[in-house]
Amino acid sequence: MKQHILPAVRLTLVTLVFFSGIYTIIIFGIAQITPFKGRGEVIEAGGQKYYANIGQKFTEDKYFSSRPSAVDYNAAGSGGSNKGPSNAEYLAVVQARIDTFLVHNAGIKKTQIPVELVTASGSGLDPDISPKAALVQVERIAKMRNLPAGKVGDLVESNIQGPLLGLFGPSKINVLKLNIALDQLK
Amino acid sequence: MNTEILGIVFVFATTIALAIPFGKYIAKIYAGERTLLDLILGPVEKLFYKLSGIRVQSEMNWKQHLSALLTINMVWFFLGMFVLMNQGWLPLNPDGNPSQSAELAFNTTISFVVNCNLQHYSGETGVSYLGQLFLMFLQFVSAGTGMAAAAVVIIAFRERSADKLGNFYELMIKSCTRILLPVSLVVAVILLLNGVPMTFEGKDSFVSMQGDTVQVSTGPVAAFVPIKHVGTNGGGFFGANSAHPFENPNYVTNMVEMFAQMFIPIAMVFALGFYLKKRKLSWVIFGVMTIGFLLLVVPTVFSELKGNPAIAEMGIDVSSGATEGKEIRFGTAFSAFWSIATTVISTGSINAMHDSFMPMSGLAQMLAMMTNAFYGGVGAGILNFYIFIILAVFMSGLMVGRTPELMGKKIEAREMKIAMIVALLHPLLILAATALGTTLPQYTAGTLNNPGFHGFSEMLYEYTSSSANNGSGFEGLGDNTPWWNISCGIVLILSRFLPIIGPVAIAGILASKKHIPESAGTLKTDTGTFGIMIFAVIAIITALSFFPALTLGPIAEYFSMK
């Protein structure tokens, strides 16, 4: 073991410089020539700068709600609820979310509420909701904003991002982009 | 077929299709043949050796290999303790994160040195950028260590002389520079093109549409995430790991990260066949692994798509399945697939919270880690499977009344003893540690996030993940306590190095034995029958050792929910 210590220390220092330093610098360099410049995808609206991929808390009735978040959309401390499926306390929270939703969305039947709208995401920052979860909110939004429901429904439809290449993965809607478009709807 | 399932099939098929030619490339690297990258990386590696005063021409026997391996791992450990316990005042800390406590640094360093990446901290607040970059270094070299050990085992099959099993440093460095680095760079470019951040500016902030001020953690994420998957490490840059929209912003990155973690473990299996010129053996091993993998994947996807019966009872639309802890952009089915891939392969990166999965899915995730050989981590997978092969050879030898032989080498008492110790160590560590944790509720009960059977599963999962060097968790567990940091740390060390020492020792001992030419009486190891034998050995060892513990956790929870 003794004869290995010195080479081990030296090799560690050399590889540390290479893999922590040079590798990082190469990727930082490549980042500068990519469209996002290594700063994430940014959207500007109303003089504000937002991250397209970082979900925001939408609780006001005039906006499409985002999913519940275990960390209250804290983008400096991501995480999920980590509640087990049989946890009674957790199930009571889900039940309460269903009841709240029904209060805010008169005329909607329980069976229309998709489960993803009353369960928290893994990151607590989920930027998306499913098309179903947006459509079930259309009536409320239309009433709150005095808009024809058909128009709001069309907006939702036009914001659906289908599966990748039409083949792979689920359909989704970016809540932030949808709400920005909603604010611009006349 | 719906688009969610199609996405899974596409990624899995592409991974296998590309892993085969890459296996050939890996075999070339370990055989020291010329490749295209010699032009660029040859001089770099020469410089490494020169600056370190290492002569790679001098080949090592198995004892020298292990000595070199353990020494350099010890150096990484001490350096890691220093960096993490002092990161608060060291440079590259724009968020002002504090230094880690001694026990947390102990756990974190061990965990990254052994390629586990269990994290008892959250990346946003627990490490500085310097800390992250150091951990990234460990992600490269710890993966390289496992691959080098696997390479020694593969080389020992072929060599007739036990003193010439290659040079450890060369195998380790080449695993990093020729295999891990190029793949990581390609993955990094794809991530950058999809909006993964790569900055050193520290936290950003914005005012949300509803008027809340939101702090946003960023950092050199695009450098960190590729090697986290390519080296089957799994440690996340952020607390939410690959569920975080900055680590994994969309379906493209999700597919690429899935590919990146499965690619090399599968390629290693084929590399073995190319290196030994026994391609059929590779297919037998690959077949056993794939059947085991699919037996875990299919029920998990099914149980997640079916959803939570307790929520269905509330009368809402549960057609999306069990969505708690999952992201919309990946979908329920792919998250279920990922959860098994990441536990089978010992990556431990997650794109959904395993704690919130249905009981039967949690069972499958734990079984995946308890087996720990269906593909397995880069390097470690081959090592673990090697032990099962030795056991299967011995048992089949006994059954047909022949002296057990593996590729012309007799398997005798000494090798069997080592193989048995390694095979039994994994259940021993998991079960003994969990039992200890259960009998000392003053240290553990307060850290559980869920009551009842699920709470027990949280403990069982934590030790299973530690012993399998996996690193995922039922993350509700409040695991940054002295009890968890130290007990998991000890499990991590034992479960990493003994399963490296064992196979390398067996391989070295076998290499020094006389070669017996194949005859009609030789047990063929590259047949379907032998594959079934290996599978039976794996199933019996895992089922018998772990079934009682699983009954107390996920199985009891499943029946309590009916």
Side-chain angles (χ1 to χ4, degrees), chain A residues 82-155:
Chain A
N82 287 309
K83 294 295 181 193
S86 62
N87 187 331
E89 209 179 289
Y90 157 71
L91 292 170
V93 170
V94 174
Q95 183 64 57
R97 287 180 189 142
I98 296 172
D99 298 340
T100 314
F101 189 86
L102 289 173
V103 170
H104 288 258
N105 294 267
I108 297 291
K109 283 193 285 295
K110 233 193 216 179
T111 49
Q112 290 176 277
I113 306 175
V115 62
E116 58 269 26
L117 206 51
V118 290
T119 48
S121 63
S123 61
L125 303 170
D126 197 338
D128 304 305
I129 52 176
S130 63
K132 259 192 297 185
L135 289 170
V136 75
Q137 303 183 52
V138 163
E139 249 178 72
R140 181 192 82 225
I141 302 281
K143 210 179 290 167
M144 292 295 297
R145 293 187 175 243
N146 288 322
L147 289 165
K151 208 170 171 188
V152 180
D154 288 346
L155 183 76

Side-chain angles (χ1 to χ4, degrees), chain B residues 30-31 55-65 151-168 170-171 275 409 504 507-512:
Chain B
Y30 290 142
R55 275 192 64 248
V56 289
Q57 292 77 15
S58 59
E59 297 202 32
M60 299 176 172
N61 63 27
W62 67 271
K63 284 181 187 158
Q64 292 164 320
H65 266 289
V152 175
V153 169
I154 297 175
I155 291 169
F157 267 134
R158 195 168 80 172
E159 292 308 318
R160 296 285 156 83
S161 150
D163 295 330
K164 295 206 159 92
L165 301 179
N167 180 289
F168 169 76
E170 187 182 27
L171 292 174
Y275 187 91
K409 300 295 173 85
V504 171
I509 296 170
L510 289 187
S512 62

Side-chain angles (χ1 to χ4, degrees), chain A residues 150-163:
Chain A
K151 208 170 171 188
V152 180
D154 288 346
L155 183 76
V156 170
E157 295 288 347
S158 68
N159 268 280
I160 295 177
Q161 295 168 267

Side-chain angles (χ1 to χ4, degrees), chain B residues 410-465:
Chain B
K410 266 191 197 146
I411 311 264
E412 289 166 303
R414 195 166 163 214
E415 297 84 77
M416 274 312 293
K417 278 184 202 153
I418 302 175
M420 280 318 297
I421 291 171
V422 174
L424 293 178
L425 175 80
H426 189 49
L428 176 75
L429 286 174
I430 295 173
L431 298 174
T434 310
L436 202 62
T438 316
T439 44
L440 296 170
Q442 62 268 42
Y443 297 119
T444 52
T447 62
L448 303 179
N449 190 41
N450 288 286
F453 305 122
H454 197 86
F456 177 77
S457 297
E458 286 182 337
M459 289 204 280
L460 181 62
Y461 193 105
E462 186 73 2
Y463 285 121
T464 307
S465 174

Side-chain angles (χ1 to χ4, degrees), chain B residues 386-406 409-417 419-420 513 523 525 530 533-534 537:
Chain B
Y386 182 70
I387 293 294
F388 288 126
I389 292 181
I390 300 275
L391 294 181
V393 165
F394 187 75
M395 286 207 204
S396 357
L398 288 184
M399 283 162 76
V400 294
R402 283 183 203 143
T403 325
E405 283 166 28
L406 178 61
K409 300 295 173 85
K410 266 191 197 146
I411 311 264
E412 289 166 303
R414 195 166 163 214
E415 297 84 77
M416 274 312 293
K417 278 184 202 153
M420 280 318 297
K513 285 190 185 182
L523 177 79
T525 45
F530 187 67
M533 193 66 205
I534 303 177
V537 168

